[in-house]
Amino acid sequence: MKKFWGFYENESYKIGCNSSAVYVYDKNDNELAKFKDVAYAFNAAIKPNTNTVVVKSTEGKLAVYDLDNLELVKKIVITKIGAQDEGYSFSPDGKHFYNIEKPVSSTRTQLTIYDATDFSVEKVLFEEKTDMFLENIEFDEHTGNCYILGFFRNNDGVFDYAFVGRYEDAEIKNIKKINEDTFDYLLWYKRWELSGFTEKNLEYSPLKKLDHIEKTSIKQVFENN
C-alpha cells in the first residue's frame, strides 16, 4: 500500500489521502476506488458509526463520499484563496461537522457548523472577530465537551498570545493563555493526529526534530492551565 499523507479506517474500509487522489480499500487492502474530485486532498474524517467520509482539501473544498456506494455525495467550495489547513471534527454523535475555515482572507478564520445529514451549513461563527485566529477543534467523545486552540492578535495585527478554550453555546468560554512553546507543540501534534498519525506527515513536521513526542490534547492543556 502507498505511503499516504492521511490514512483512516473503520470496521469496513481504509481511506488514504495522497494529495492528488483519495483511495478506498477494503479491510484486506484491496483497492475499491480512486477519487480525484478535489486536489490537495491531505486529510479526512469518517463520520462516527457510518461509512461516510469527509475529505478536506487545502485548496478550499470539502468532498463527502459514501463508501458503501463508492460515490461522491457532495462537493463544497469554501473559498478559492487556498491554504485551508486548520482543524475540523465531527461531533461525537455524528450529527454535525465542525470546520475551521478562511473563506475571506488567509488571516481571518470562522467556525462553520454543518448538518452532517446533508452537509448544509447550519451556523457560521466568529467571522467578525478579526483579532482571534482559530487553529484547531477537539471533542471529548465521552462528555461531548468541545475545545478550541487559537491565538489573539494585538492592535497592530501581530501575534499577542495563544489560548485554549471551551466552545459552548456559540461562544468560546474559559479562555486560558498558554505559552508559545505549548501552542506550537499542540498545533503540530493536532495536525499529525488529523493525518491519522502517518509517517509521511511526520516527515514534514517540526515534531520530527524532537527526541520524544508525547501524546497530548487541547482538553489536557485546557485542564492543566
Side-chain angles (χ1 to χ4, degrees):
M1 189 178 292
K2 302 175 184 293
K3 286 184 67 176
F4 291 106
W5 283 99
F7 187 77
Y8 317 87
E9 59 182 311
N10 63 8
E11 294 180 354
S12 302
Y13 301 99
K14 298 178 181 180
I15 302 99
C17 298
N18 219 18
S19 180
S20 61
V22 178
Y23 294 80
V24 182
Y25 301 89
D26 64 19
K27 297 301 286 187
N28 295 316
D29 296 336
N30 298 305
E31 185 178 317
L32 303 177
K34 178 181 177 182
F35 298 108
K36 290 189 172 185
D37 301 290
V38 292
Y40 306 105
F42 294 101
N43 291 342
I46 301 174
K47 181 179 174 181
N49 304 312
T50 74
N51 291 323
T52 297
V53 63
V54 175
V55 175
K56 181 168 182 175
S57 160
T58 60
E59 72 169 356
K61 296 182 177 69
L62 298 174
V64 184
Y65 294 99
D66 178 338
L67 300 179
D68 290 328
N69 294 311
L70 297 176
E71 63 180 8
L72 175 70
V73 175
K74 189 171 188 176
K75 183 160 69 173
I76 302 166
V77 179
I78 298 167
T79 181
K80 296 183 179 180
I81 66 171
Q84 304 291 310
D85 53 4
E86 283 67 42
Y88 56 88
S89 179
F90 278 103
S91 57
D93 60 11
K95 292 182 178 180
H96 298 93
F97 181 73
Y98 291 68
N99 189 37
I100 298 174
E101 302 173 349
K102 297 179 295 192
V104 178
S105 165
S106 61
T107 62
R108 290 177 59 181
T109 56
Q110 65 186 40
L111 178 62
T112 303
I113 304 174
Y114 295 85
D115 182 326
T117 302
D118 60 3
F119 289 89
S120 59
V121 174
E122 273 198 2
K123 192 178 296 184
V124 177
L125 301 168
F126 314 123
E127 70 271 29
E128 301 300 328
K129 292 189 69 63
T130 57
D131 64 329
M132 182 175 71
F133 193 95
L134 307 180
E135 285 284 5
N136 220 310
I137 184 168
E138 171 187 292
F139 281 90
D140 183 325
E141 62 180 21
H142 301 294
T143 65
N145 289 339
C146 181
Y147 301 90
I148 299 284
L149 172 71
F151 64 86
F152 281 98
R153 298 186 179 92
N154 60 26
N155 293 333
D156 296 321
V158 178
F159 182 101
D160 189 3
Y161 66 89
F163 73 88
V164 288
R166 190 171 66 205
Y167 170 78
E168 184 180 355
D169 298 328
E171 296 180 16
I172 301 177
K173 301 181 179 181
N174 298 320
I175 288 176
K176 301 180 180 182
K177 291 184 180 181
I178 58 174
N179 64 53
E180 287 191 47
D181 288 341
T182 300
F183 171 77
D184 288 340
Y185 183 89
L186 187 54
L187 171 67
W188 289 105
Y189 184 87
K190 291 299 295 182
R191 289 187 178 182
W192 186 35
E193 182 180 74
L194 284 177
S195 78
F197 296 110
T198 64
E199 292 182 10
K200 192 167 186 177
N201 180 282
L202 184 61
E203 287 177 10
Y204 294 88
S205 170
L207 295 176
K208 185 181 180 182
K209 300 177 182 178
L210 302 178
D211 294 330
H212 174 68
I213 301 174
E214 184 176 345
K215 182 178 180 180
T216 189
S217 67
I218 304 175
K219 174 190 174 183
Q220 180 181 337
V221 173
F222 178 84
E223 291 180 341
N224 290 339
N225 279 269

